[in-house]
Amino acid sequence: MEGAQEAIAVVAGVVPSRARLIGRFISATTFTSVTFGLFAGQIGVLLPCGPLIPFMTGAWCGYTLGAITFWKAEVGRAMSYVELYPRLVEHVMDQRSWVTRPSGLPLREWISCADTVTRIGRQSWVALASQDCIDMIEDMKKEERSRIIEEYLNPTSTETEE
């Protein structure tokens, strides 16, 4: 049923957050892969092996670098959301029931209190949950921006008293 709802959402013009994540990943890794591949291929023209092997090697290295950079950026975004909006991220994780975590343990501690493999897995879950938080956080930022603009446009009565 969830797959059908996501398909309808895509048709209706609302792209699910996980699909946006995949789109960003594909575009980031494709760009770095092609860029590194073309650069290495151009260098390969000067080598006796020709441009094909250097292009393939450069594309492979570019894809790997793009994937690692993307992972670090997404985990960084997720951890900043955990710092700034912990209840929102916890709420999204609890709603999705992706993973069980002990109640009462702060999300930041839950992520960092494990061995490396488990910590990476928990970071993955939080990064996935943060994808669903992006629109909500953007809405909160827009509301805050509107309040600030409104304060500039309509000065408060305390400024007039001075």
Side-chain angles (χ1 to χ4, degrees):
M1 183 70 171
E2 184 177 326
Q5 290 173 344
E6 288 180 356
I8 292 169
V10 169
V11 171
V14 178
V15 180
S17 58
R18 285 172 276 172
R20 285 183 293 196
L21 172 75
I22 292 168
R24 286 195 320 270
F25 177 79
I26 289 171
S27 63
T29 54
T30 300
F31 179 76
T32 56
S33 178
V34 170
T35 302
F36 275 61
L38 290 174
F39 181 75
Q42 290 297 318
I43 292 173
V45 169
L46 304 172
L47 300 174
C49 65
L52 185 57
I53 299 298
F55 170 80
M56 292 185 331
T57 304
W60 170 58
C61 291
Y63 179 84
T64 303
L65 180 66
I68 291 169
T69 304
F70 185 82
W71 165 257
K72 287 182 177 183
E74 289 302 316
V75 169
R77 177 196 318 225
M79 296 311 290
S80 72
Y81 287 176
V82 167
E83 287 292 322
L84 298 171
Y85 312 101
R87 292 186 328 179
L88 180 61
V89 177
E90 287 175 0
H91 175 73
V92 169
M93 288 185 69
D94 292 342
Q95 291 295 315
R96 297 291 185 172
S97 302
W98 290 318
V99 64
T100 56
R101 55 182 193 84
S103 61
L105 183 64
L107 190 57
R108 183 113 172 106
E109 288 181 32
W110 176 75
I111 295 167
S112 61
C113 72
D115 62 2
T116 302
V117 174
T118 305
R119 187 173 57 248
I120 290 171
R122 289 177 179 179
Q123 288 173 342
S124 297
W125 288 116
V126 171
L128 186 60
S130 72
Q131 299 306 308
D132 288 340
C133 296
I134 291 173
D135 292 335
M136 292 177 255
I137 291 171
E138 287 300 318
D139 289 344
M140 288 190 295
K141 287 180 180 179
K142 284 179 185 175
E143 288 176 17
E144 182 179 0
R145 192 175 306 124
S146 295
R147 281 194 304 269
I148 292 170
I149 292 171
E150 187 66 31
E151 288 175 9
Y152 279 117
L153 294 175
N154 300 322
T156 61
S157 60
T158 58
E159 290 179 3
T160 57
E161 292 175 3
E162 296 174 2

